[in-house]
Each structure stands twice: as structure tokens, then as C-alpha cells.
Amino acid sequence: MKIQKVSEERDSKIILALDVSSRVKNENDVRELYKRAKSILDETEQFIAGLKVNFQLLLPLGLYGYLQEVLGAAREYGLPTIIDCKINDVEHTNKWAATHFFDAGFDALTANPFTGWDGGLKGVFDEARRRERGVILLVYMSHYGAEENYGREIVLSDGRIKPYYKFFAEKAVEWGADGVVVGATRPNVISEVRILLPKEIPIFSPGVAVQGGEIEAVFKAGTDYAILGRTVCEAKNPRETIKWYVDRVKKIL
Amino acid sequence: MKIQKVSEERDSKIILALDVSSRVKNENDVRELYKRAKSILDETEQFIAGLKVNFQLLLPLGLYGYLQEVLGAAREYGLPTIIDCKINDVEHTNKWAATHFFDAGFDALTANPFTGWDGGLKGVFDEARRRERGVILLVYMSHYGAEENYGREIVLSDGRIKPYYKFFAEKAVEWGADGVVVGATRPNVISEVRILLPKEIPIFSPGVAVQGGEIEAVFKAGTDYAILGRTVCEAKNPRETIKWYVDRVKKIL
């Protein structure tokens, strides 16, 4: 995966989530939001291993609108890009969404394994394989309420009981996922999932700092990349903030 | 809910999903896609109770781009609009997505209850309530693979076992959802879910015809609205096709 190479070259395990947000009433507001996002990317690019884009940027900028400028800049900087769409629709829609995200230049997308395979995520994996792009599966999200279902015990077809996140981690292996998401707020889950996955499948952990995750605990538990969003984007000095985290991770590892 | 009033006025239980799709290389392709979508809406508007928009239209047109023209036309026609985003992110992102979808003019959005409440969907419901918009929860999707998880048995906190879709239907009541989605491919599930819900919470059923759902069975099972997408959008005559379905439903009920 492209991200591993970039991570090694830059000696960084940090992915920037461009979580800048504002309402947009007109074209000028959209341009201002774009400029804010672009300036954070410019300031931090040399310290990050990749860029993640979420709905709060996709919707106002538009996939084929100003977001193209952001993706173009990431490409020039040599950064892999992830669209965090958490796709979970029927196959026809999933395939079209994947087609547009990949056409627009994203290297990988996130998907919810709860969707299932046949008529669900199969088409996304097919599309990703055909175009050498990545699919990252949600295994356990970072928010408190994720426990309600990602942490829920389910009945398997042979009658055994298992928590959902372990089932999802097994699906990631079975389906050939290019990565999984386990929230930084649950280092114990990261450790458990790390054991279930071959080392070729990296763990991405969002939810450090603002959401309560602790960077040391997350990397000691075995995550591969921490995703920093508001912690960096809302910092007075995004560049110093991300540098601080990159250095901190180097000391831990 | 606005949709019920429109449905009664027009004597139609059919919602149009504007599932037109194409890759877009330039502004001209985007305009052509918009024109195709708009022309289907214009042809069918007097026979439908609402309009649903999916990723295959949202991504190429852009929420604040050509999609504004589609939403403006729907508003002029007096049609309620649903964005089928199946939102399933953390609260901060969900709230921003809901803010943008509602700012852009959508009356309701779809959400995946698997996300959970605290730090998950709570923010979406808060935002919807504050602005008098709707949240429609997925209870059982229409594709074959939905069975893997929507149909899976889970262990409740008191140790009882229950299929997920029944748990989700109960969440729809508990959280005050404005509707639920149960795929047209599973009339038995529609019957079971109908019993669990008060009549104020309508069932929306996508997946008729192209995906294999049968219109008679779906309404006899107790669905409130059928969502027609490719069946209409890929028909030689969308207007006649939707009229045929509207009349068919009248005969059933």
C-alpha cells in the first residue's frame, strides 16, 4: 500500500484528517473554507503520511469542485488520500460512489462491513482491485456509542458467540481489506484486533486528543497510523502540533 | 410528516429515486447528467409522493452545484426530498453532514442505527428536530447480503437473543425516527416490522422490480411507500412506468 512507503520515507505515522467545517451561503464561503483546508495541508504536508477527507469537507467543496484542488495538492506532495465515506449501501450505489471517488483521485475509501458482501461491499472491492485502490473497513469506531453495536455479542452460524468487532476483523482478512479502523479511544480493542490481522493489514486509529484517545496507549497497543483531525485543524499552530505528535510517536516506537 | 400530506393529495405511494448514473469528465458531462435527472423528475413529478437522491447523483452534481437545481425543482413541485446518505459516522461529522444536507434543502436523511446513539446518531436527531426535518433509519436493506448482519441474531444486555432488524425497529421507536427502510425483497420482514412500529412511523421499501421486490407483496405486507429507482429511470417511458405502479398500488390497497 502506497501509504506504507510514504510513511517510511517521511518517518511519520500520522494521517491528517482535514476536519475544517463551516456553513456555506455562497461561492465566497466555499472558497474561504477551501483556503483554510489548503493552508493546513500546506503547513503540515511534510510531516504526514496521508490525508483523509470527510463529509464536512466533501459536501461544501464538492467532489469535482474545490476538492479537486485539495486532491491535486495532495498528489503534488506525494500524499495518499482516503475518503472517509463509510460506505454502506447496496452494490449498485456503492460501485457508483467508488467509481466517482476513484475518478476524482482518491486512493482509498472507508466502508462499513455491516453492509455484508453479496450485493453489498463485493462491488466496492471489485472496483478497488480493478483500479489498484484501497478499501479500509470499520472494525470499531471511536465514539462512546460505538459500544452499542461494534462491541455487541452476536450469534455465529455455528451457534458460537463473538463480539462484532472480532467478526469484522475476520471479514477484513477474508475480503482482503487494505486496512481497518479501530478508534483510538479503545486501546484494548486495538491490541485484540492487531492479533487477528496479518501485519499487511494496517490499523488506522482516529479519535486521538479531542475525542479522548491517548497517543502513547494507541501505539503501544499496536496501531499503525493515528488519524488527527480537529486536534490539528483547530490548533493555533497546526504545523507545530503535528510535528509534536510525529516526534512523540517516534519516541514511543 | 410532509410526505404523508403530499401522498394523500396525489393519491400516490410511490417515491422516485433519481438513480441516473454516469462518469463525468468535464462540466458538460455534469450538465448532461443533471438534464437527464431533471427530465425524469419533470415527467414523473405529478405521480410521486417524494424524491430520493443517492450518491450516484450527489457526487457528480455536487450538493451546492447542479443538485440545487434538482432540489429547487422538487420544491416548486411541492415534493419532499430525502438524501439517502445512510449516515454512520461520529457525531461531529454526522452533525456537519446533516447541517449541509438540510442547508441545501433536503427534508430528510437516512441513517444507519448500527452507529449507536451517544456520540453517534444523537446529534443527527437533535439537528433534525431543531430544524423540523426527518431522520429515516435503516432497519433491513434490500440486497441479498443484508441478511449477513441486518438478519443476524444478537445478544441483548439481558441475555435474550433477537434478530438485529427487530432491535433496530425498536430503536426507531425509542429515538423517534420519522420512518424506517425495509427492503422490498423481504415482505415477511416488512410484516414483522410493521407490527413493531406505531402507524406514525412509515416504512419505505426500496428494491422493487430491478432488485427483485414484488409490488403487490410489499404493500400487502404493510409497507407505506415503495421507492422506485432504476425501474423508472432506466425505463423507455418513465412517466408511463411510474403511472402504472401508482395505479397498481391503488388497486392493491
Side-chain angles (χ1 to χ4, degrees), chain B:
Chain B
M1 209 172 162
K2 190 175 163 188
I3 209 160
Q4 195 189 340
K5 196 168 157 277
V6 177
S7 168
E8 283 168 10
E9 282 167 7
R10 299 182 176 208
D11 203 7
S12 168
K13 298 280 190 183
I14 302 292
I15 290 167
L16 173 68
L18 261 184
D19 288 346
V20 292
S21 322
S22 80
R23 295 175 80 162
V24 292
K25 302 265 176 232
N26 51 48
E27 183 65 19
N28 194 47
D29 292 346
V30 175
R31 195 166 41 242
E32 285 304 313
L33 183 63
Y34 156 68
K35 279 161 68 181
R36 192 142 59 93
K38 176 69 163 50
S39 114
I40 295 169
L41 176 61
D42 292 341
E43 277 184 57
T44 57
E45 61 88 11
Q46 64 185 112
F47 304 107
I48 59 179
L51 179 73
K52 183 177 85 87
V53 169
N54 217 326
F55 281 111
Q56 53 263 55
L57 198 64
L58 167 68
L59 295 177
L61 297 199
L63 184 61
Y64 296 109
Y66 275 106
L67 199 55
Q68 283 297 305
E69 309 290 323
V70 176
L71 291 171
R75 203 158 36 238
E76 274 185 40
Y77 291 141
L79 290 171
T81 50
I82 301 164
I83 177 71
D84 195 4
C85 52
K86 296 182 170 66
I87 203 156
N88 68 126
D89 214 307
V90 297
E91 184 162 281
H92 180 77
T93 297
N94 291 343
K95 276 185 81 161
W96 272 108
T99 297
H100 283 297
F101 287 132
F102 295 153
D103 279 357
F106 280 105
D107 295 299
L109 56 75
T110 59
N112 193 332
F114 189 74
T115 317
W117 186 250
D118 286 319
L121 293 190
K122 182 179 177 297
V124 176
F125 277 85
D126 287 349
E127 192 66 23
R129 287 299 87 84
R130 205 173 58 76
R131 300 175 69 167
E132 299 187 337
R133 311 291 173 102
V135 180
I136 298 168
L137 292 179
L138 306 181
V139 162
Y140 207 131
M141 281 172 64
S142 57
H143 60 293
Y144 180 76
E147 201 177 309
E148 287 175 42
N149 296 298
Y150 289 91
R152 182 173 296 281
E153 295 203 307
I154 59 170
V155 183
L156 303 179
S157 50
D158 61 7
R160 282 180 305 140
I161 304 285
K162 179 173 279 192
Y164 236 131
Y165 64 94
K166 290 191 179 180
F167 177 77
F168 284 163
E170 289 166 359
K171 287 291 168 195
V173 179
E174 183 186 329
W175 297 347
D178 303 280
V180 304
V181 171
V182 179
T185 46
R186 293 180 176 86
N188 291 347
V189 174
I190 295 174
S191 309
E192 289 181 276
V193 170
R194 187 64 277 171
I195 292 165
L196 296 172
L197 300 177
K199 69 174 192 319
E200 300 79 52
I201 302 184
I203 298 177
F204 296 83
S205 294
V208 168
V210 172
Q211 287 186 56
E214 213 277 316
I215 194 89
E216 274 86 359
V218 169
F219 279 94
K220 280 181 182 158
T223 206
D224 296 274
Y225 303 100
I227 301 171
L228 293 179
R230 282 172 281 166
T231 306
V232 171
C233 296
E234 292 170 6
K236 275 198 182 151
N237 192 328
R239 183 188 174 90
E240 290 306 313
T241 306
I242 214 141
K243 261 188 74 174
W244 186 86
Y245 276 99
V246 170
D247 290 340
R248 193 85 176 264
V249 174
K250 279 189 216 169
K251 278 175 202 150
I252 302 162
L253 296 175

Side-chain angles (χ1 to χ4, degrees), chain A residues 40-55:
Chain A
I40 295 170
L41 175 62
D42 292 342
E43 278 184 56
T44 57
E45 60 88 10
Q46 64 185 112
F47 304 108
I48 58 180
L51 180 73
K52 183 176 84 89
V53 169
N54 217 323
F55 280 111

Side-chain angles (χ1 to χ4, degrees), chain A residues 123-141:
Chain A
V124 175
F125 277 84
D126 288 348
E127 192 66 22
R129 288 298 87 85
R130 203 173 60 76
R131 300 175 68 166
E132 298 187 339
R133 311 293 174 101
V135 180
I136 298 169
L137 291 180
L138 306 181
V139 161
Y140 206 132
M141 281 173 64

Side-chain angles (χ1 to χ4, degrees), chain A residues 68-85:
Chain A
Q68 283 297 306
E69 308 290 323
V70 176
L71 291 170
R75 202 158 36 238
E76 275 184 40
Y77 290 141
L79 290 170
T81 50
I82 302 164
I83 176 72
D84 195 3
C85 53

